[in-house]
Amino acid sequence: MRLTRFTDVALRVLMRLAVAEGAEPPTTREVADTMRVPYTHTAKVVARLQHLGLLDARRGRGGGLTLTTSGHSASIGALVRELEGTDDVVECEGTTPCPLRSGCRLRGALRKAQDAFYASLDPITVADLVTSPTGPLLLGIGSGPPPD
């Protein structure tokens, strides 16, 4: 399985915010620059995460991004399911249906593997992802040159 860029950025944004506690909340632009992700893409991710109740975004002076309590305890498996969807790994019924679909065992095997993938991520929370050595590493990342 391969995660979309959107899900990858969402997980990294949550991790970055999880280690920002106690400091001045970073802005979307600061998070984008730190994670070396285009601002527009980061803004879309932030809007979706805010809609899911995982972070708060405040504009203006004293504003910034903060992780909610739900964001800290969010299951990575549940989050990846929400962002990636639970569609089959392969499309058997699409515009050109697979001629093997009536007797193929591959679809079931891939579904089982996908379920195992999500199940292995279910017990892991955002807070778990930022324990040492990741948390200190995230705090040490400075802004680099903005991405293209």
Side-chain angles (χ1 to χ4, degrees):
M1 260 200 79
R2 184 175 185 94
L3 299 179
T4 61
R5 179 87 167 132
F6 190 90
T7 300
D8 174 43
V9 171
L11 293 171
R12 289 193 282 150
V13 165
L14 291 172
M15 290 169 64
R16 175 63 183 88
L17 294 179
V19 297
E21 301 261 317
E24 187 174 323
T27 65
T28 302
R29 176 138 339 256
E30 290 167 346
V31 171
D33 290 348
T34 300
M35 305 292 8
R36 295 189 175 102
V37 177
Y39 170 77
T40 54
H41 196 62
T42 305
K44 290 175 188 173
V45 166
V46 164
R48 180 76 187 277
L49 294 174
Q50 184 178 16
H51 177 75
L52 292 173
L54 302 175
L55 63 81
D56 285 324
R58 292 198 167 89
R59 293 178 168 222
R61 188 179 195 121
L65 305 174
T66 55
L67 203 57
T68 64
T69 303
S70 297
H72 277 285
S73 61
S75 161
I76 300 303
L79 181 59
V80 171
R81 273 186 199 89
E82 178 68 34
L83 298 176
E84 292 287 321
T86 56
D87 293 340
D88 286 329
V89 176
V90 293
E91 187 176 318
C92 301
E93 304 292 336
T95 55
T96 312
C98 176
L100 301 175
R101 69 187 181 282
S102 64
C104 182
R105 297 172 58 123
L106 178 61
R107 184 180 194 178
L110 290 173
R111 169 55 73 181
K112 188 174 178 179
Q114 182 181 24
D115 290 344
F117 172 77
Y118 287 131
S120 70
L121 295 174
D122 282 339
I124 302 168
T125 66
V126 171
D128 294 333
L129 293 178
V130 296
T131 58
S132 190
T134 306
L137 180 64
L138 279 164
L139 288 172
I141 296 174
S143 347
D148 296 333

